[in-house]
Amino acid sequence: MADWQVIEGNITAPKGFKAAGITAGLKPSGSPDLSLIYSETEAIAAGVFTTSQVRAACVDYCRQRLQAKASARAILVNSGQANAGTGKQGWDDAVESAQLLAQGLNISPESILLASTGVIGQRIKMEQLRQGITPLIQSLAPNGGDKAARAIMTTDLVPKTIALETEIDGRPVRMGGIAKGSGMIHPNMATMLAFVTCDAAVSTALWQQMLSRATQKTFNQVTVDGDTSTNDSLFALANGESRTAAITEMGPNAEKLEAMLTAVCQHLAKAIARDGEGATCLMEIQVTGAPDDQSARAVARTIAGSSLVKSAVFGRDPNWGRIAGAAGRAGVKFDQNNLLIKLGNYVLMDQGQPLEFDRPGASNYLKQAASGAYLEQDTVLIQVDLGTGSGQGTAWGCDLSYDYVRINADYTT
Amino acid sequence: MADWQVIEGNITAPKGFKAAGITAGLKPSGSPDLSLIYSETEAIAAGVFTTSQVRAACVDYCRQRLQAKASARAILVNSGQANAGTGKQGWDDAVESAQLLAQGLNISPESILLASTGVIGQRIKMEQLRQGITPLIQSLAPNGGDKAARAIMTTDLVPKTIALETEIDGRPVRMGGIAKGSGMIHPNMATMLAFVTCDAAVSTALWQQMLSRATQKTFNQVTVDGDTSTNDSLFALANGESRTAAITEMGPNAEKLEAMLTAVCQHLAKAIARDGEGATCLMEIQVTGAPDDQSARAVARTIAGSSLVKSAVFGRDPNWGRIAGAAGRAGVKFDQNNLLIKLGNYVLMDQGQPLEFDRPGASNYLKQAASGAYLEQDTVLIQVDLGTGSGQGTAWGCDLSYDYVRINADYTT
């Protein structure tokens, strides 16, 4: 049983956080495009970033900021322009954005974090951003998380939010999260854009460790199309406003907090996979029997990322051969004569031997899985046992549809 | 200038080779599905195979065969069923196929090589194969290479063939090749199905080295959809029938032979990329300025394999940001401030700075590139300089279209 409950709200559910989301005119569409997440007190801040060699200015900026000082008061997020591949000018724009927000909030620029999402190679529309700062700050509200979640969206179909509550030493501790991402999502890199707030009191080092471990099992296990963004960023703020005793080392309270953090990240990661561009369903790949957990995660990711598996799921085609093929090329050693593959409750292969199975039934399973309630019953479950060790891991992805091609064939023009 | 000329024909252009391709009834479609490549004398044989953990029976069979004896007289290829993931029964089928052909040709089973392509998890239809062996052998002809090339096709739109001729010590030496592949093609693994014949006299060890090096620069640099087959196999036979002196060590003659082998492999690799499922054009990615050649090839492959780059090319959208993004995540270190990106003659980025460029012109370049003559003027050229070292490498791929999804969403059902 989980040690927490789902509650209403999102990043503004924990104590001491406000948020806002407005239309500043950065997006040609006129949709909301500027978000602010704000903590009333200085919060411990941890970050995980893209490992790409081509990075947005905000990524380099925030990595430096957090290395110098692992705390923050506010996160400014613009959508519309990625500000990646924009050279020196892009860096200057990032610095100016942080300074403008710091002035408006009357805090130090060193307490500001930044994130951008949108078209790579385009600078932020600075004129619109400058004019947007004041109304953005004026919009800050204790229930502003939903607006913030909407203003970070690009090709996302739905906002992605969650809030959980647990008890630590008899006091309620809350955690909330929002995320965006759809297209350009790939494992083994940091992540898309995701923001977690928490009112627990925790030490800087422990909080960063927890976030890194949670990322490995969640955001890094999500794949939509094999591409990794120049802008992937995940921030987690913990401001201590729950007034619980500070958690400074691993133990029952720390484990509870880390489990909740992992649950928040997993929910957001799955929501991102489900909202993959053109997706009609979520795919969950559970791998067991691997030499170790890392290998299991690698195999799960490779299956989740296989264009042929994704196309087959879109076609509601129980093509286990493609699953076996993807498992085989993941770079993990195993004996193919031990391989077990299940699709829902249908065992398709056992001991490396293909089984006769109810093909229309398995195809129906795929059809039904894709028609269920969003993020509840629309999950296609693929289980693979390598029969080699005790390592296990899970990855999430989505199917590959005509719409993926349509969306990505005309994004800039 | 190349040291050879293109001649008519294919695998039966070199002296002493015959080939055949017939309809044995393995494919439901009734298309040709059984091929035979035959050398009148025992030929030196080299092979490169998939590195997947899930392999077709024929792959394991041939790897063992070649380790025991690096020569062959005949290669039997069936299309329709991949005979991968078929367990013990699949292995027995492979052994029986080789024995049947050996009996029919009255040679040792140890002189037979095998390859299969088709649906993973399906055994070869052995009844049809057994009945097909005799008519297949009867069809062997000195000009049978084209029929063999057609009978190895699955979702391929066109057969892929080439023949070259050079002179060694004043005598003509010929080399021919055929290949199939479209879907499930990925770099860093051996290859799809490709067969090279040659009438040069060359030592076993040198021939295998030449083939491995040529594969690295050609077949391993082709990507269509990121998936690697369980069946990837490349065989090269050299039967010495040109009656030239045996080439046993590197030198001018060996270099000439290796250059010709690389050219044959490159032609076939490009033909496979161009024929990628649903492709409308070939993409050639040339990377320079990398730390070393291996790094350059890795960056080129990553760009060629990026779903976002491929979708943009299909949309005729000069989206250089996606090219930069893909380069950045290839696992190769470089300074993004040195990055140069060209699309055809359009410089899109220089010194890491995006340039103003003629967007309609660049889009027109993409449109024209895709409408040119097949494999001659239908190539989209993307050049990337990392500004770091002197390493260079090329990769080939194709764009990602609606048809890719359509073809792969209903392949088995």
Side-chain angles (χ1 to χ4, degrees):
Chain A
M1 272 298 293
D3 219 3
W4 59 80
Q5 53 180 338
V6 176
I7 58 172
E8 286 289 304
N10 43 66
I11 45 169
T12 40
K15 282 188 189 153
F17 286 98
K18 291 180 180 171
I22 66 165
T23 299
L26 304 175
K27 284 181 184 162
S29 66
S31 298
D33 48 23
L34 199 60
S35 292
L36 178 58
I37 303 168
Y38 176 76
S39 173
E40 289 167 357
T41 54
E42 189 82 6
I44 292 298
V48 181
F49 303 98
T50 181
T51 56
S52 176
Q53 296 293 309
V54 177
R55 293 171 306 276
C58 54
V59 170
D60 287 340
Y61 182 88
C62 290
R63 203 195 299 265
Q64 288 181 23
R65 271 273 163 278
L66 288 178
Q67 272 167 5
K69 180 168 86 80
S71 66
R73 285 287 298 279
I75 308 174
L76 178 67
V77 193
N78 79 281
S79 56
Q81 298 85 40
N83 198 21
T86 46
K88 172 84 171 60
Q89 186 62 56
W91 174 266
D92 291 345
D93 291 344
V95 172
E96 186 190 342
S97 302
Q99 282 170 340
L100 285 171
L101 182 64
Q103 283 165 18
L105 290 169
N106 197 24
I107 60 177
S108 161
E110 282 162 23
S111 289
I112 308 285
L113 295 170
L114 302 171
S116 299
T117 177
V119 182
I120 301 180
Q122 292 191 2
R123 287 178 53 198
I124 301 170
K125 291 185 181 171
M126 287 305 289
E127 196 46 46
Q128 284 83 343
L129 182 117
R130 286 183 199 109
Q131 292 181 5
I133 292 289
T134 301
L136 182 69
I137 293 172
Q138 286 168 346
S139 305
L140 274 175
N143 60 353
D146 189 58
K147 283 190 176 163
R150 287 178 184 277
I152 63 175
M153 291 163 61
T154 56
T155 52
D156 304 64
L157 294 177
V158 295
K160 295 151 191 74
T161 69
I162 188 173
L164 300 180
E165 180 177 302
T166 190
E167 273 198 1
I168 290 182
D169 295 337
R171 296 183 65 87
V173 169
R174 291 178 164 188
M175 192 179 287
I178 64 172
K180 69 81 51 183
S182 154
M184 275 203 126
I185 293 161
H186 191 54
N188 246 339
M189 298 290 176
T191 176
M192 53 307 312
L193 294 193
F195 307 95
V196 176
T197 59
C198 183
D199 52 20
V202 58
S203 75
T204 307
L206 205 56
W207 188 236
Q208 178 69 52
Q209 286 164 26
M210 287 178 180
L211 188 67
S212 297
R213 280 193 294 259
T215 300
Q216 265 201 347
K217 293 182 202 160
T218 59
F219 290 113
N220 280 1
Q221 291 297 104
V222 166
T223 175
V224 169
D225 61 9
D227 270 285
T228 302
S229 169
T230 50
N231 290 54
D232 292 345
S233 302
L234 161 63
F235 294 108
L237 304 181
N239 66 4
E241 292 295 307
S242 64
R243 304 291 170 194
T244 46
I247 299 172
T248 57
E249 55 189 27
M250 288 312 290
N253 285 347
E255 281 164 22
K256 195 183 271 191
L257 191 67
E258 181 167 346
M260 190 157 71
L261 180 60
T262 306
V264 164
C265 291
Q266 186 186 104
H267 174 88
L268 295 174
K270 285 170 70 170
I272 286 166
R274 174 62 187 88
D275 203 9
E277 285 168 350
T280 70
C281 63
L282 179 72
M283 299 182 347
E284 177 163 326
I285 320 291
Q286 297 176 352
V287 173
T288 52
D292 50 49
D293 289 356
Q294 199 181 350
S295 303
R297 287 199 293 263
V299 172
R301 277 199 312 269
T302 305
I303 296 170
S306 158
S307 294
L308 287 171
V309 171
K310 290 152 62 81
S311 302
V313 169
F314 175 65
R316 313 304 178 226
D317 172 7
N319 191 322
W320 61 267
R322 295 185 181 176
I323 300 169
R329 67 176 171 85
V332 172
K333 283 221 170 202
F334 63 87
D335 182 348
Q336 61 178 332
N337 292 317
N338 294 335
L339 199 60
L340 172 87
I341 297 177
K342 278 181 74 179
L343 177 67
N345 288 322
Y346 295 87
V347 181
L348 310 183
M349 173 177 248
D350 193 13
Q351 298 289 319
Q353 306 284 340
L355 302 182
E356 292 296 322
F357 66 95
D358 174 8
R359 185 171 288 272
S363 185
N364 266 335
Y365 165 74
L366 286 168
K367 280 177 194 147
Q368 283 168 7
S371 67
Y374 197 84
L375 266 180
E376 288 174 19
Q377 291 159 339
D378 59 352
T379 304
V380 166
L381 179 62
I382 296 173
Q383 291 172 296
V384 174
D385 192 287
L386 304 181
T388 298
S390 60
Q392 48 187 306
T394 302
W396 298 273
C398 60
D399 57 346
L400 174 62
S401 72
Y402 299 116
D403 278 352
Y404 175 85
V405 179
R406 185 184 54 73
I407 292 167
N408 285 298
D410 49 28
Y411 182 56
T412 64
T413 52
Chain B
M1 272 299 292
D3 218 2
W4 58 81
Q5 52 179 339
V6 176
I7 57 172
E8 287 288 305
N10 43 66
I11 46 169
T12 40
K15 281 188 190 155
F17 287 98
K18 291 181 181 172
I22 66 165
T23 298
L26 304 175
K27 284 180 185 163
S29 66
S31 297
D33 48 23
L34 199 59
S35 291
L36 178 58
I37 302 167
Y38 176 76
S39 172
E40 289 167 358
T41 54
E42 189 82 5
I44 292 298
V48 180
F49 303 98
T50 181
T51 56
S52 175
Q53 295 292 308
V54 177
R55 294 172 305 276
C58 54
V59 170
D60 287 341
Y61 182 88
C62 289
R63 204 195 299 265
Q64 288 181 23
R65 270 274 163 278
L66 288 178
Q67 272 167 5
K69 180 168 87 81
S71 66
R73 286 285 299 278
I75 308 174
L76 178 68
V77 193
N78 78 281
S79 57
Q81 298 86 41
N83 198 22
T86 45
K88 171 85 170 64
Q89 186 62 56
W91 173 266
D92 291 345
D93 290 345
V95 172
E96 186 190 341
S97 302
Q99 282 170 340
L100 286 171
L101 181 64
Q103 283 165 17
L105 290 169
N106 197 23
I107 60 176
S108 161
E110 283 162 22
S111 289
I112 308 286
L113 295 169
L114 302 171
S116 299
T117 177
V119 182
I120 301 180
Q122 292 190 2
R123 287 177 54 198
I124 302 169
K125 291 185 182 171
M126 287 304 289
E127 196 46 45
Q128 284 83 343
L129 182 116
R130 286 183 200 108
Q131 292 182 5
I133 292 289
T134 302
L136 182 69
I137 293 172
Q138 286 168 345
S139 305
L140 274 175
N143 60 353
D146 190 58
K147 283 190 175 162
R150 287 179 183 276
I152 63 175
M153 291 163 62
T154 55
T155 53
D156 304 63
L157 294 177
V158 294
K160 295 152 191 74
T161 68
I162 189 174
L164 301 180
E165 180 177 302
T166 190
E167 272 197 3
I168 290 182
D169 294 337
R171 296 183 65 87
V173 169
R174 292 178 165 190
M175 193 179 287
I178 64 172
K180 68 83 49 183
S182 153
M184 275 202 125
I185 293 161
H186 191 53
N188 245 338
M189 299 289 176
T191 176
M192 54 308 311
L193 294 192
F195 307 95
V196 176
T197 58
C198 182
D199 52 20
V202 57
S203 75
T204 307
L206 204 56
W207 188 235
Q208 178 69 51
Q209 287 164 25
M210 288 178 181
L211 188 67
S212 297
R213 281 193 294 259
T215 300
Q216 265 201 346
K217 293 183 203 158
T218 58
F219 290 113
N220 281 0
Q221 292 298 104
V222 166
T223 175
V224 170
D225 60 10
D227 270 285
T228 301
S229 168
T230 51
N231 290 54
D232 291 345
S233 302
L234 161 63
F235 294 107
L237 304 180
N239 66 4
E241 292 295 308
S242 64
R243 304 292 169 192
T244 46
I247 299 171
T248 57
E249 55 189 26
M250 288 312 291
N253 285 347
E255 281 164 22
K256 195 182 272 191
L257 191 67
E258 181 167 347
M260 190 158 70
L261 180 60
T262 306
V264 165
C265 291
Q266 186 186 103
H267 174 89
L268 296 175
K270 286 170 70 171
I272 286 166
R274 174 61 187 88
D275 202 10
E277 286 168 350
T280 70
C281 63
L282 180 71
M283 298 181 350
E284 177 163 327
I285 320 292
Q286 297 176 353
V287 173
T288 52
D292 50 49
D293 289 355
Q294 198 180 351
S295 303
R297 287 199 293 262
V299 172
R301 277 199 311 269
T302 305
I303 296 170
S306 159
S307 294
L308 287 171
V309 171
K310 289 152 62 80
S311 302
V313 170
F314 175 65
R316 313 304 177 225
D317 173 7
N319 191 322
W320 62 268
R322 295 184 181 177
I323 300 168
R329 67 177 171 84
V332 172
K333 283 221 170 203
F334 62 88
D335 182 348
Q336 61 179 330
N337 292 318
N338 294 336
L339 199 60
L340 171 87
I341 297 178
K342 277 181 73 178
L343 176 67
N345 288 323
Y346 295 88
V347 181
L348 309 183
M349 173 177 247
D350 193 13
Q351 298 290 318
Q353 307 283 340
L355 303 182
E356 292 297 323
F357 66 95
D358 174 8
R359 185 171 288 273
S363 185
N364 266 335
Y365 165 73
L366 286 168
K367 280 176 194 147
Q368 283 168 7
S371 67
Y374 198 85
L375 266 179
E376 287 173 21
Q377 292 159 338
D378 59 352
T379 303
V380 166
L381 179 62
I382 296 173
Q383 291 172 296
V384 174
D385 192 286
L386 304 181
T388 298
S390 60
Q392 48 187 306
T394 302
W396 298 272
C398 60
D399 57 346
L400 175 62
S401 72
Y402 300 115
D403 278 351
Y404 175 85
V405 179
R406 185 184 54 73
I407 292 167
N408 285 298
D410 49 28
Y411 183 56
T412 64
T413 52

